[in-house]
């Protein structure tokens, strides 16, 4: 790959880097369309990351690990949703609660089960299968960019397409968007908007569980706070993508590219490691401000 | 202002339900996690109260929480979200340290004043940035304040472990500030220092500012109903900026007070949890500046209890985060209030 210069590996890497926040953003979009800002994405990713890798190690099966990890994440998102919707709590505060719970619970369980709050290594875990289609690999440029990723990458693209279809082509999608734009109309036609809000949150639990699994199973290890801001990036990606699945795909790619480039730049420019860590937050904040300036211009 | 007694009663009961739920969760967790639950429970509940050292330290750790709680209460009263507390405390503490280190021979009064001012301005600028973006272009301040603050945490980390790192030891910290800047201890052998008096005065001033001044009234009006406030001729844009400036200033001050009073140096990650706990403190206090004081003490108690249980028994300190998350989950749950109100009418 390196024979193609530096740009192709950067693009190739950006595609795998963007997968976790693409997944989280698609789930967050469902919550957003039902009329709620989901700031729990960060914590939900962390829950998915922790439980998928420890279940995978315990059962010796990647698939079981992923499924049980997702199940745990959906469970936590249910708690978040139930308290927000049925107990009528403020969604921002319960979102913060979910993030706090995730960081507390993962640390406490890690300490209780493994006796450490540090990195958990699982060397016996099999690597994630990747998609290699030798003849397609030979396509110049595109072959190197689009093939050879792990299966989650392709799964995330399928999920984008499914999300698009569900939102714009099914009664579920109409009702979900109806809940966000006009809940009273939903009640008038005899539907309960609370059910759709709950589904919006549970779907975000599903995709964040998957996003977390990508992070840890790819590494074969759990690192404390491995979500490291991806849930927040996902939130901004939802807005930058204009709240549409394909827009989100594009926005997530831009963020993936930025992060991939900063990883690459680290190799030959002497930037302190802390600045590299700060970079995703700076670029996300900048993107957010620029977007609101543009939107404001258009409205005037 | 007329206070509805039955509303206050309902609020108190709902708060009690929330806090009991949090304690129940903690009890269950201790019984699951600990080999010696009885001992752990003892250290958790009684530990912070067993001697002067622990007791004083508990009050001492409430000091920054009162300030961050007030900072969040200002923002919430105006319907603004400041999720950047952690970074504002951190940057404020660092600014105060840098100022003190820059003039080691300055007089105590001058040095302390300048360093507190530096912290207040640093915090206010950081939070004010999010307020400015919101006022100018309607950028969501909730997300922007979090992102800006998190970026700053890494940048301050870099200063502490890089150019400002104390070469005299292997710890990730700056050198200690000159001794004349240290706040006086008032409850030895604990760390409790004189700033607790000033912090309580600040809380009282904040109450008067919010509830007894014209500006405070306008700020609260914008929080309750911005459209109505605009119709009433209030400059709503100003009250997007102002509460964020106050909020950031108080967070920055919290960092400075912690450095000058307790740690005497800026060590890596010292602000961890102070910002988030400030949010919980403000919520428990229902954004009332006076009530922030007992709410901060309650949080300091949970933290001290978890720490005491960690040192003396076999659980880890993050158990406090789980207890705090239960408080976060339930504290705004309107259904609890509605249920209680309905019950009272029925009786």
């Amino acid at each position: 790959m390196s024979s193609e210069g530096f740009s192709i590996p950067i693009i190739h890497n950006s595609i795998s880097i963007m997968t976790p926040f693409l997944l989280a953003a698609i789930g967050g979009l469902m919550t957003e369309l039902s009329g709620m800002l989901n700031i729990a994405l960060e914590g939900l990713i962390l829950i998915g990351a922790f439980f998928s890798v420890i279940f995978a190690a315990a059962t010796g099966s990647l698939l079981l690990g992923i499924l049980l990890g997702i199940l745990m994440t959906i469970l936590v998102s249910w708690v978040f949703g139930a308290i927000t919707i049925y107990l009528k709590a403020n969604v921002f505060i319960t979102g913060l609660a979910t993030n706090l719970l995730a960081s507390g619970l993962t640390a406490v369980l890690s300490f209780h089960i493994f006796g450490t709050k540090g990195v958990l290594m699982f060397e016996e875990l099999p690597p994630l299968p990747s998609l290699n289609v030798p003849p397609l690999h030979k396509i110049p440029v595109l072959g190197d960019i689009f093939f050879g990723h792990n299966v989650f990458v392709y799964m995330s693209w399928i999920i984008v397409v499914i999300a698009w279809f569900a939102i714009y082509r099914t009664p579920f999608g109409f009702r979900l968007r109806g809940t966000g734009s006009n809940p009273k109309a939903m009640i008038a036609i005899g539907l309960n908007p609370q059910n759709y809000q709950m589904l919006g949150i549970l779907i975000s639990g599903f995709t964040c569980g998957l996003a977390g699994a990508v992070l840890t199973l790819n590494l074969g290890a759990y690192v404390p706070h491995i979500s490291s801001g991806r849930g927040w990036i996902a939130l901004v990606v939802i807005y930058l993508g204009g709240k549409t699945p394909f827009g989100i795909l594009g926005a997530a790619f831009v963020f993936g590219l930025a992060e991939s480039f900063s990883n690459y730049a680290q190799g030959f420019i002497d930037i302190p490691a802390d600045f590299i860590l700060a970079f995703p937050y700076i670029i996300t904040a900048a993107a957010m401000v620029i977007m609101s300036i543009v939107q404001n211009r258009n409205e005037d | 202002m007329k206070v509805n007694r039955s509303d206050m009663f309902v609020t108190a009961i709902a708060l009690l339900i929330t806090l009991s739920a949090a304690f129940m969760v903690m009890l269950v967790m201790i019984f699951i996690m600990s080999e010696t639950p009885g001992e752990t429970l003892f250290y958790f509940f009684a530990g912070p109260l067993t001697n002067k050292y622990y007791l004083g330290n508990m009050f001492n750790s409430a000091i920054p929480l009162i300030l961050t709680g007030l900072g969040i209460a200002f923002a919430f009263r105006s319907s603004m979200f400041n999720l950047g507390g952690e970074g504002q405390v951190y940057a404020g503490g660092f600014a105060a340290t840098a100022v003190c280190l820059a003039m080691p021979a300055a007089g105590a009064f001058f040095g302390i004043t300048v360093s507190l001012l530096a912290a207040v301005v640093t915090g206010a600028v950081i939070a004010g940035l999010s307020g400015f973006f919101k006022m100018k272009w309607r950028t969501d301040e909730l997300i922007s304040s979090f992102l800006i603050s998190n970026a700053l945490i890494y940048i301050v980390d870099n200063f502490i472990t890089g150019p400002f790192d104390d070469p005299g030891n292997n710890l990730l910290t700056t050198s200690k500030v000159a001794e004349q800047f240290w706040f006086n201890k008032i409850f030895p052998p604990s760390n409790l220092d004189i700033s607790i008096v000033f912090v309580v005065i600040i809380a009282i001033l904040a109450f008067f500012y919010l509830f007894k001044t014209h500006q405070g009234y306008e700020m609260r009006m914008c929080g309750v109903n911005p459209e109505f406030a605009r119709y009433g001729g209030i400059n709503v844009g100003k009250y997007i900026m102002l509460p964020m400036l106050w909020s950031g200033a108080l967070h920055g001050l919290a960092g400075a007070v912690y450095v000058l009073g307790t740690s005497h140096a800026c060590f890596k990650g010292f602000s961890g949890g102070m910002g988030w706990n400030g949010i919980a403190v403000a919520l428990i206090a229902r954004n009332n500046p006076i009530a922030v004081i007992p709410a901060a003490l309650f949080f300091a108690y949970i933290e001290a209890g978890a720490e005491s249980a960690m040192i003396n028994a076999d659980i880890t300190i993050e158990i406090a985060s789980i207890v705090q998350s239960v408080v976060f989950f339930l504290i705004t749950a309107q259904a609890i209030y509605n249920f209680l109100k309905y019950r009272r009418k029925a009786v």
Side-chain angles (χ1 to χ4, degrees), chain A residues 139-152:
Chain A
I139 304 171
V141 186
L142 290 181
D144 281 332
I145 291 173
F146 288 111
F147 295 97
H149 294 288
N150 67 52
V151 287
F152 281 113

Side-chain angles (χ1 to χ4, degrees), chain A residues 22-32 38 41 200 203-204 207 238:
Chain A
L22 172 62
L23 282 167
I26 292 291
L29 171 67
M30 297 295 186
T31 323
E32 181 69 37
N38 187 344
L41 297 177
I203 294 171
S204 79
T207 64
I238 296 171

Side-chain angles (χ1 to χ4, degrees), chain B residues 186-209:
Chain B
I186 55 169
F187 196 69
S190 78
N191 284 325
L192 184 61
D193 62 75
I194 187 79
S195 63
I196 192 154
V197 178
F198 294 102
V199 165
V200 168
I201 294 172
I202 290 173
I204 295 167
L205 289 177
F207 178 83
F208 275 97
Y209 173 71

Side-chain angles (χ1 to χ4, degrees), chain A residues 11-277:
Chain A
I11 297 172
H12 178 91
N13 287 342
S14 65
I15 284 175
S16 50
I17 289 172
M18 80 178 191
T19 302
F21 44 76
L22 172 62
L23 282 167
I26 292 291
L29 171 67
M30 297 295 186
T31 323
E32 181 69 37
L33 291 176
S34 77
M36 287 186 293
L37 179 65
N38 187 344
I39 63 171
L41 297 177
E42 178 79 10
L44 293 175
I45 296 175
L46 192 62
I47 293 280
F50 180 74
F51 284 104
S52 58
V53 77
I54 66 165
F55 279 127
T59 59
S61 149
L62 283 177
L63 188 66
L64 267 180
I66 295 166
L67 290 178
L68 290 171
I70 290 174
L71 199 68
M72 286 304 294
T73 319
I74 292 178
L75 199 69
V76 173
S77 69
W78 181 81
V79 171
F80 164 54
I83 294 174
T84 311
I85 296 162
Y86 303 126
L87 294 185
K88 300 186 183 6
N90 182 315
V91 68
F92 301 122
I93 305 299
T94 52
L96 286 182
T98 309
N99 295 339
L100 198 62
L101 176 71
S103 76
L105 191 67
T106 50
V108 166
L109 286 179
S110 168
F111 181 76
H112 183 65
I113 301 170
F114 303 98
T116 171
K117 288 184 275 179
V119 177
L120 306 174
M121 297 290 289
F122 300 98
E123 273 132 8
E124 69 284 7
L125 271 184
L128 285 176
S130 49
L131 184 69
N132 284 309
V133 192
L136 293 177
H137 244 291
K138 296 216 177 73
I139 304 171
V141 186
L142 290 181
D144 281 332
I145 291 173
F146 288 111
F147 295 97
H149 294 288
N150 67 52
V151 287
F152 281 113
V153 171
Y154 306 101
M155 208 189 290
S156 71
W157 298 349
I158 295 170
I159 286 176
V160 171
V161 176
I162 294 174
W164 176 84
F165 186 80
I167 292 169
Y168 298 107
R169 293 288 183 271
T170 65
F172 163 76
F174 301 142
R175 288 165 188 169
L176 186 76
R177 287 183 287 150
T179 301
S181 55
N182 195 345
K184 286 199 178 113
M186 291 281 289
I187 297 169
I189 59 170
L191 292 167
N192 186 353
Q194 288 188 334
N195 293 344
Y196 289 90
Q197 291 180 325
M198 193 59 167
L199 277 172
I201 285 179
L202 292 179
I203 294 171
S204 79
F206 168 77
T207 64
C208 288
L210 207 54
V214 180
L215 289 174
T216 43
L217 295 179
N218 216 2
L219 265 182
Y222 172 78
V223 183
H225 295 114
I226 193 169
S227 47
S228 65
R230 288 184 178 83
W232 296 91
I233 295 176
L235 262 187
V236 177
V237 162
I238 296 171
Y239 286 92
L240 285 177
K243 300 187 188 178
T244 65
F246 289 108
I248 286 173
L249 182 65
F253 179 68
V254 172
F255 275 90
L257 205 59
E259 212 174 311
S260 175
F261 185 76
S262 80
N263 289 346
Y264 172 77
Q266 221 176 341
F268 60 87
I269 306 173
D270 188 26
I271 316 170
D274 289 321
F275 287 0
I276 302 283
L277 290 168

